[in-house]
Each structure stands twice: as structure tokens, then as C-alpha cells.
Amino acid sequence: MLKLHNMYKVYRTDEVETVALNGVNLEIEQGDFVAIMGPSGCGKSTLLNIIGMLDNPSDGDYLFFDENVAPYSEARRSEIRKQNIGFIFQSFNLIDELSVAENIELALLYHSMPAAVRKQRVADVMDRMGIAHRANHMPGQLSGGQQQRVAVARAVVGDQPLILADEPTGNLDSVHGQEVMELLRSLNKEGTTIVMVTHSPSHADYAHRTVNLFDGYIVTENTRAA
């Protein structure tokens, strides 16, 4: 599905140069579930942002379905991103003024589809995530676990083949965190590729493979037996 080759990301100011990614090589196959781990500041979120085409590398190639997207403009990357990638964030990123159903539907407004089809997709994904009874509730009326379920629903409603999750359980207690991880495992079993940044070894155990970063380098990769 995607391949990073000799990937660098350097942030520069007038006085300081910070190397966030230092010659990273990484391949992710369709259907993979990959956990990215490492200490704070090691480059995890930078790597996820580049995979998600939210940022572009300073150097290196990024092959996404065999297409090198590294030199593309933001507008071109955005078009590819909307069609292929869903995002789940630690802070949920729901809009307080919109209902659960409206927050999920927002992810489909960039797609060319009739309103009736959008509504049906939203209804289907809410049922799948066990939040259909919360359709008209506002985010402030939900628990943290329920809000993250809405965020997962929003990420998958467009049927994108790749989900990127940045500390998806970071703001949840252990019970709700495990619920979200079970949702991600279920999505992966259905064929969705998942790349997840996490600090939790127990949540990384849900993945097929763990990539450990340190100071912008991949230092180890561990694959779990099926």
C-alpha cells in the first residue's frame, strides 16, 4: 500500500535545525495493523503526518499505491488524502455545535454523493459502532469513550482503505480505551489498514507489527505471530 524510502523531515529556524525523521524506510502492506512507538519527541507524529499527507518530507520518496506523492502540491495531496485516508485523534476533534450524526456526515461532504446516500452511510456506520441511539446528541452529552466511537465512525464512513490513529486511547480510561482498540481490531479484520501511534504496550499488542522510533530513526521492528 505504501512505502517510505530514505525519508527525512527537517525543521529549520534562523538558529536551530531539528531533524525529526532521519532516513526512515518503512513499508506497510494493505491489511496491515502497525503500531508506532517511542519516547516523546522521537518523530512519531511527524511520521504519521507524512503518511497522512498532512505534511511533506524534506527529502525522500513516499510511494502510495505505487505513486510517488512526496513532491506533490498540498492541493494534490489533499485530493488523494480525502479519497484514501481517515484520521482518529487523541482529542476526538468533534465539533461541539454539531450532533453525532452531523459530525460523522461532515466527513462525506467532500465526496460527490447524493444527500440520501450520505444519510444512509451515516446511519449504517452509527449502527456498526453502537452509537445509533446517540445520533441526535451533542458531543458534550457523551462520555469520552462514546466521543471516540463517533470519531472512529467519522474516520471510516467514507470507506477509506487506510486509517491513521494518533494516540486514539490517550484521553480514555482503561475500559473505554480497550473498547476503542477492539473497534480498531474489528475494522482491521474487515480489511482496513491501520497505522497507530501509541505509548501503550498493551494497545500495541493489538497490532501485527510494532515499529519503534528513537531520535528520528527506526531502531527496531517486531512482528507478532498470527
Side-chain angles (χ1 to χ4, degrees):
M1 170 179 269
L2 64 90
K3 181 178 181 180
L4 305 181
H5 176 66
N6 209 25
M7 184 67 64
Y8 288 84
K9 182 62 181 180
V10 181
Y11 296 99
R12 293 183 176 90
T13 65
D14 290 340
E15 298 179 356
V16 179
E17 179 177 283
T18 302
V19 180
L21 295 178
N22 200 338
V24 167
N25 294 288
L26 179 66
E27 289 190 47
I28 294 174
E29 301 290 339
Q30 204 156 357
D32 258 353
F33 189 162
V34 178
I36 299 172
M37 299 191 74
S40 297
C42 72
K44 301 186 300 298
S45 292
T46 299
L47 178 58
L48 205 68
N49 285 342
I50 288 176
I51 292 173
M53 302 183 211
L54 296 170
D55 200 358
N56 60 320
S58 303
D59 197 10
D61 295 321
Y62 176 12
L63 299 180
F64 189 77
F65 288 114
D66 297 322
E67 183 177 2
N68 188 11
V69 300
Y72 283 0
S73 67
E74 163 55 25
R76 180 71 180 113
R77 291 200 314 270
S78 176
E79 201 58 40
I80 297 171
R81 182 172 65 239
K82 286 187 293 187
Q83 299 301 320
N84 292 282
I85 305 174
F87 295 88
I88 304 169
F89 302 98
Q90 176 178 344
S91 57
F92 317 138
N93 285 12
L94 302 179
I95 297 176
D96 292 338
E97 294 77 20
L98 298 181
S99 70
V100 165
E102 290 167 338
N103 264 283
I104 298 168
E105 187 178 4
L106 196 63
L108 296 176
L109 297 181
Y110 305 104
H111 298 261
S112 299
M113 66 176 63
V117 175
R118 288 202 312 268
K119 301 291 185 187
Q120 188 58 54
R121 279 209 185 189
V122 171
D124 289 345
V125 79
M126 286 192 300
D127 188 57
R128 184 177 169 196
M129 296 294 155
I131 52 174
H133 62 298
R134 298 289 193 179
N136 297 316
H137 286 68
M138 309 304 277
Q141 297 174 292
L142 307 179
S143 69
Q146 289 167 338
Q147 289 187 58
Q148 194 61 299
R149 281 177 176 265
V150 177
V152 173
R154 182 185 56 194
V156 303
V157 69
D159 284 334
Q160 286 95 335
L162 173 64
I163 297 295
L164 303 182
D166 193 357
E167 293 283 0
T169 62
N171 283 339
L172 302 176
D173 60 35
S174 59
V175 173
H176 289 119
Q178 187 171 342
E179 286 180 4
V180 169
M181 291 310 306
E182 292 291 348
L183 278 176
L184 293 179
R185 177 152 63 185
S186 176
L187 289 168
N188 178 247
K189 286 181 177 178
E190 293 168 8
T192 302
T193 305
I194 296 174
V195 181
M196 174 185 68
V197 165
T198 182
H199 279 101
S200 167
S202 63
H203 291 166
D205 284 343
Y206 282 80
H208 306 153
R209 181 161 50 116
T210 300
V211 174
N212 290 283
L213 285 179
F214 187 78
D215 285 351
Y217 297 92
I218 292 179
V219 289
T220 59
E221 286 193 48
N222 304 311
T223 303
R224 285 170 187 78

